[in-house]
């Protein structure tokens, strides 16, 4: 019996009656003991099944398959004290002359740099191009050049007046490499780099490639925090819960389903927001219901309004350690034309900025990915990059506020809400 069909038979006695359908909740699959496993490519063996020589589905790749992922020999480098390196010549960092790092932030090259710098947030590029639409791999470097005239390192959030550039130690952690032909090998390396960030105690912001980035996100979350010890909020126009793997172990269309099947995350810790793209089979919604995913399709926002529906999401995730996987196509293509698979009827840029800020204020968020940005499809002003940059800044504002003890997601500075003139 395949792993998948054995999971399908794991039906618990508990039931849930909604509308016309009786739903039988599936039991969460058992978790692996990752601690006791041998390491393969720097990760517990169960996280990288494509490297398991005992699995008949695995084609054993020769050493050459690691060529892209081999770390540089640093033994000839000049010695330096570990810590973030400021790449900038000038105090003012306008985007036109700033050395292109995320937010003009200092660079960290190694886990030692992260630790020595007591880094709060590390931003890393994960350039994978495995969505057939193409071009997502260019997002990681594109997001280092934001074409607005303001300084790259200005950090006062207009909604809350917190200065996240001052309150937080933020670094650019460079990019992870990808093996351009092997999805699994790339996910392994991306998970390894994300794990380095989490192990240092910092929050990870990933500028992803295709939505397979989410699989690397799950791998790092389970590797660092252990199984069933985190929740995921998946923003997306698409469901991404396909049961078919297309010959791979996982891909951008089934990352969280794969994480659930592997026993890494509880069904009730799956949250999804914004789905509206046409799908091939209503059974995909059945899967979400069976595992107990708390989903919010776009029709719910349409029927009940943004305020009421978003409030529900905030209530449902309250108190959970979060991994946010933000497929940029959750936003309407009128605001973000540069996505792999645009779908009309999405969130506004303002709603998206608000949602990430509010989650970051209310919850302990350990990781957020921004996925499926394809600069090849962006407009001439690179407006999609600007929206992602503003979401990233709103997220940092939320993290900074939480550090100062503010946890009310509705918080805004009263000064920006009322001019005070009588
Ligand atoms: Mn997606």
């Amino acid at each position: 019996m395949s792993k998948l069909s054995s999971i399908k038979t794991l039906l618990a006695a508990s039931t849930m009656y909604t509308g016309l359908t009786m739903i039988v909740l599936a039991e969460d699959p058992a978790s692996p003991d990752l601690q006791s496993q041998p390491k393969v490519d720097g990760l517990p063996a169960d996280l990288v099944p494509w490297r398991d020589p005992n699995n008949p589905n695995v084609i054993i790749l020769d050493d050459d398959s690691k060529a892209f992922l081999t770390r540089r020999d640093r033994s000839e480098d000049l010695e330096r004290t570990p810590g973030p390196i400021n790449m900038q010549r000038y105090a003012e960092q306008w985007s036109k002359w700033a050395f292109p790092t995320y937010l003009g932030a200092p660079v960290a090259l190694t886990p030692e740099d992260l630790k020595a710098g007591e880094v709060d947030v590390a931003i890393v590029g994960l350039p994978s191009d495995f969505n057939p639409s193409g071009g997502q791999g260019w997002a990681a470097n594109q997001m280092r050049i934001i074409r607005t005239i303001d300084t790259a390192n200005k950090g006062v959030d207009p909604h809350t007046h917190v200065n996240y550039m001052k309150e937080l130690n933020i670094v650019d952690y460079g990019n992870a490499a990808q093996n351009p032909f092997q999805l699994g090998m790339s996910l392994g390396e991306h998970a390894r780099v994300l794990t380095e960030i989490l192990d240092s105690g910092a929050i990870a912001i990933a500028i992803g490639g295709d939505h397979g980035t989410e699989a690397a996100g799950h791998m790092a979350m389970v590797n660092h925090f252990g199984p069933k010890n985190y929740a995921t909020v998946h923003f997306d126009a698409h469901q991404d819960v396909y049961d078919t793997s297309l010959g791979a172990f996982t891909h951008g269309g089934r990352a969280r389903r794969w994480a659930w099947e592997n026993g890494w995350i509880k069904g009730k810790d799956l949250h999804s927001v914004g789905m509206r793209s046409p799908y091939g089979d209503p059974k995909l919604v059945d899967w979400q219901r069976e595992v107990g995913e708390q989903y919010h399709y776009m029709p719910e926002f349409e029927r009940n309004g943004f305020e009421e529906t978003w409030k529900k999401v905030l209530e449902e995730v309250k108190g959970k350690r979060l991994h946010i996987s933000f497929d940029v196509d959750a936003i309407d293509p009128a605001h973000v034309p540069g996505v792999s698979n645009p779908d009309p009827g999405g969130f506004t840029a303002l709603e998206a900025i608000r949602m990430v800020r509010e989650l970051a204020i209310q919850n302990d968020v350990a990781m957020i990915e921004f996925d499926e940005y394809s600069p090849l499809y962006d407009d001439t002003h690179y407006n999609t990059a600007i929206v992602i940059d503003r979401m990233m800044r709103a997220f940092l504002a939320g993290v900074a506020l939480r550090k100062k003890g503010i946890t009310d997601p509705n918080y805004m500075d009263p000064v920006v809400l009322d001019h005070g003139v009588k």
Side-chain angles (χ1 to χ4, degrees), residues 310-321:
W310 177 241
K311 212 173 143 191
K312 261 168 86 178
V313 178
L314 283 175
E315 278 304 312
E316 286 163 2
V317 302
K318 206 169 184 175
K320 296 184 176 188
R321 174 188 293 121

Side-chain angles (χ1 to χ4, degrees), residues 28-231:
D28 290 329
S31 299
D33 178 11
L34 298 173
Q35 301 269 341
S36 65
Q37 291 176 6
K39 293 270 169 76
V40 181
D41 297 341
L43 297 166
D46 260 22
L47 298 191
V48 284
W50 43 84
R51 303 282 291 161
D52 177 2
N54 301 315
N55 186 330
N57 299 314
V58 167
I59 304 161
I60 298 298
L61 303 163
D62 58 27
D63 285 346
D64 183 48
S65 64
K66 281 189 182 174
F68 288 97
L69 309 175
T70 305
R71 304 281 177 104
R72 182 171 67 80
D73 174 16
R74 293 182 189 277
S75 61
E76 300 288 308
D77 289 6
L78 284 178
E79 260 190 58
R80 64 175 176 88
T81 314
I85 307 156
N86 195 319
M87 309 292 284
Q88 308 300 337
R89 178 164 286 131
Y90 299 101
E92 281 286 306
Q93 291 164 41
W94 285 37
S95 304
K96 275 185 186 170
W97 65 74
F99 194 97
T101 68
Y102 295 126
L103 308 170
V107 167
L109 297 171
T110 64
E112 291 72 34
D113 290 336
L114 295 175
K115 279 173 215 142
E118 294 177 357
V119 170
D120 297 298
V121 182
I123 311 171
V124 65
L126 304 177
S128 56
D129 290 276
F130 293 101
N131 187 304
S133 293
Q136 311 88 27
W138 296 107
N141 279 340
Q142 189 67 60
M143 285 302 299
R144 293 186 168 97
I145 306 169
I146 301 301
R147 287 167 177 81
T148 55
I149 200 70
D150 50 358
T151 53
N153 62 344
K154 265 185 192 164
V156 177
D157 176 59
H159 291 82
T160 60
H161 275 180
V162 69
N163 188 337
Y164 45 86
M165 296 304 283
K166 289 224 167 78
E167 297 291 336
L168 304 171
N169 289 328
I170 302 167
V171 297
D172 182 329
Y173 198 46
N175 297 333
Q178 73 153 336
N179 179 320
F181 313 116
Q182 297 290 341
L183 172 65
M185 296 289 284
S186 298
L187 292 177
E189 178 62 12
H190 294 184
R192 223 179 127 191
V193 175
L194 288 171
T195 301
E196 287 170 9
I197 296 173
L198 297 179
D199 285 352
S200 80
I203 293 169
I205 297 181
I207 303 299
D210 69 281
H211 213 162
T213 303
E214 185 187 344
H218 285 287
M219 291 159 73
M221 289 297 288
V222 70
N223 194 20
H224 179 76
F225 293 109
K228 296 173 183 168
N229 213 0
Y230 69 97

Side-chain angles (χ1 to χ4, degrees), residues 209-276:
D210 69 281
H211 213 162
T213 303
E214 185 187 344
H218 285 287
M219 291 159 73
M221 289 297 288
V222 70
N223 194 20
H224 179 76
F225 293 109
K228 296 173 183 168
N229 213 0
Y230 69 97
T232 290
V233 190
H234 181 100
F235 291 90
D236 208 322
H238 312 92
Q239 295 156 313
D240 284 11
V241 293
Y242 288 112
D243 60 354
T244 47
S245 302
L246 304 173
F249 281 88
T250 185
H251 51 73
R254 69 186 313 277
R256 72 183 184 287
R257 181 163 178 164
W258 184 63
W260 178 83
E261 287 167 2
N262 284 330
W264 300 347
I265 190 165
K266 292 176 194 163
K268 70 177 171 71
D269 285 335
L270 297 173
H271 303 262
S272 57
V273 177
M275 292 78 66
R276 61 187 182 277

